[in-house]
Amino acid sequence: MLFRSVDGALAAVAELTATLDGWPSGPERLTLEARLGIIRSYLPGERRKASEHLHGFAGLPGDTPDERTLLALLAQCGRYEVNPSADVRRTAERALRHGALFTDSAGQADTLVGWLLAMMSLIASDGVELAKEEIARAQDWVRRNGSPIEFSMVANVADFLAWRCGDLPAVEADADGVLAAVAPEELSPQVVALRATAVNFGAYAALERGDLAAAVALLADFDEQTLYGDRKSVV
């Protein structure tokens, strides 16, 4: 499967859309559909198209990595569109497939985002017990094999679960762990996103404790760390 190089996310969307227009059904087409869904999900101007596109895959069983990725993106859409929580949870569960989605992407931080999105949707729709099992399995893997980025992705999911369960010490511990893990990493949109999520939960926990100064310090440090030398944000 060969493609020419394209410059920018919108160009990638256009390239994938044009390619899919003439692509036959089959496993390779589903791979392209999953890539298109991931790119569109992060482009504000493509959100509506992304939702319409992903709803066409609502009936997928989640038997393959690409099916699971598409279901993870669909669960995210359901979460953001405030669909019934039971529907979002069922979609997320099909995407996760008892650890299969994490296994699909373990060792590949770029594609692990599908697991992260499915987990955030599962937790938001009160799938707490399954989330605990998935996180425990993922934490065991990243402790032995994961990169700092993969560790941080799993820790941010654990942070969200701790927040939903009201465990403030765990929220702050996970947030601190993420910030420490990505501190040596080269500044990139992915690193900024991981730091932003950790700072978000860390600041929430500080506010719950009534420590406004700690929350302000976290936000100020994030602002300082996400600026290049010319003072323009990386975001």
Side-chain angles (χ1 to χ4, degrees), residues 69-141:
T69 296
L70 286 163
L71 288 169
L73 292 164
L74 182 61
Q76 180 198 35
C77 279
R79 175 188 170 201
Y80 288 161
E81 293 168 3
V82 200
N83 289 349
S85 63
D87 293 346
V88 174
R89 185 167 61 253
R90 282 192 292 267
T91 302
E93 288 171 350
R94 258 189 301 149
L96 291 163
R97 199 63 179 265
H98 304 293
L101 183 58
F102 183 84
T103 301
D104 294 340
S105 302
Q108 305 172 69
D110 288 345
T111 56
L112 192 58
V113 67
W115 178 82
L116 186 151
L117 296 178
M119 287 296 294
M120 292 297 198
S121 299
L122 178 71
I123 295 166
S125 56
D126 295 328
V128 171
E129 294 308 313
L130 178 57
K132 289 178 179 178
E133 295 174 13
E134 285 276 344
I135 290 168
R137 186 184 300 114
Q139 286 175 329
D140 180 63
W141 187 89

Side-chain angles (χ1 to χ4, degrees), residues 211-233:
D211 192 345
L212 178 60
V216 170
L218 275 171
L219 295 170
D221 184 61
F222 172 77
D223 189 49
E224 179 65 26
Q225 293 294 323
T226 53
L227 295 174
Y228 285 126
D230 61 2
R231 312 304 292 171
K232 291 183 179 178
S233 173

Side-chain angles (χ1 to χ4, degrees), residues 14-229:
E15 179 80 2
L16 283 167
T17 302
T19 301
L20 283 165
D21 282 343
W23 203 280
S25 61
E28 286 190 337
R29 181 183 178 91
L30 210 58
T31 298
L32 297 178
E33 298 279 15
R35 291 181 183 178
L36 178 59
I38 288 173
I39 296 170
R40 273 182 164 161
S41 295
Y42 293 100
L43 294 172
E46 294 284 319
R47 290 282 172 84
R48 186 179 297 276
K49 291 180 182 177
S51 177
E52 293 170 354
H53 172 236
L54 292 167
H55 276 85
F57 303 104
L60 291 175
D63 291 336
T64 68
D66 290 324
E67 288 185 359
R68 290 189 280 272
T69 296
L70 286 163
L71 288 169
L73 292 164
L74 182 61
Q76 180 198 35
C77 279
R79 175 188 170 201
Y80 288 161
E81 293 168 3
V82 200
N83 289 349
S85 63
D87 293 346
V88 174
R89 185 167 61 253
R90 282 192 292 267
T91 302
E93 288 171 350
R94 258 189 301 149
L96 291 163
R97 199 63 179 265
H98 304 293
L101 183 58
F102 183 84
T103 301
D104 294 340
S105 302
Q108 305 172 69
D110 288 345
T111 56
L112 192 58
V113 67
W115 178 82
L116 186 151
L117 296 178
M119 287 296 294
M120 292 297 198
S121 299
L122 178 71
I123 295 166
S125 56
D126 295 328
V128 171
E129 294 308 313
L130 178 57
K132 289 178 179 178
E133 295 174 13
E134 285 276 344
I135 290 168
R137 186 184 300 114
Q139 286 175 329
D140 180 63
W141 187 89
V142 296
R143 287 186 187 118
R144 292 181 289 108
N145 307 294
S147 67
I149 296 297
E150 290 165 324
F151 169 86
S152 299
M153 294 175 81
V154 173
N156 270 340
V157 172
D159 219 0
F160 186 32
L161 179 62
W163 173 252
R164 291 283 292 183
C165 294
D167 187 349
L168 294 183
V171 172
E172 293 188 297
D174 284 326
D176 288 345
V178 171
L179 296 176
V182 300
E185 297 294 310
E186 183 178 349
L187 196 61
S188 68
Q190 185 180 43
V191 168
V192 171
L194 291 168
R195 292 191 76 250
T197 302
V199 167
N200 180 50
F201 289 122
Y204 278 160
L207 290 173
E208 284 291 330
R209 291 190 292 99
D211 192 345
L212 178 60
V216 170
L218 275 171
L219 295 170
D221 184 61
F222 172 77
D223 189 49
E224 179 65 26
Q225 293 294 323
T226 53
L227 295 174
Y228 285 126

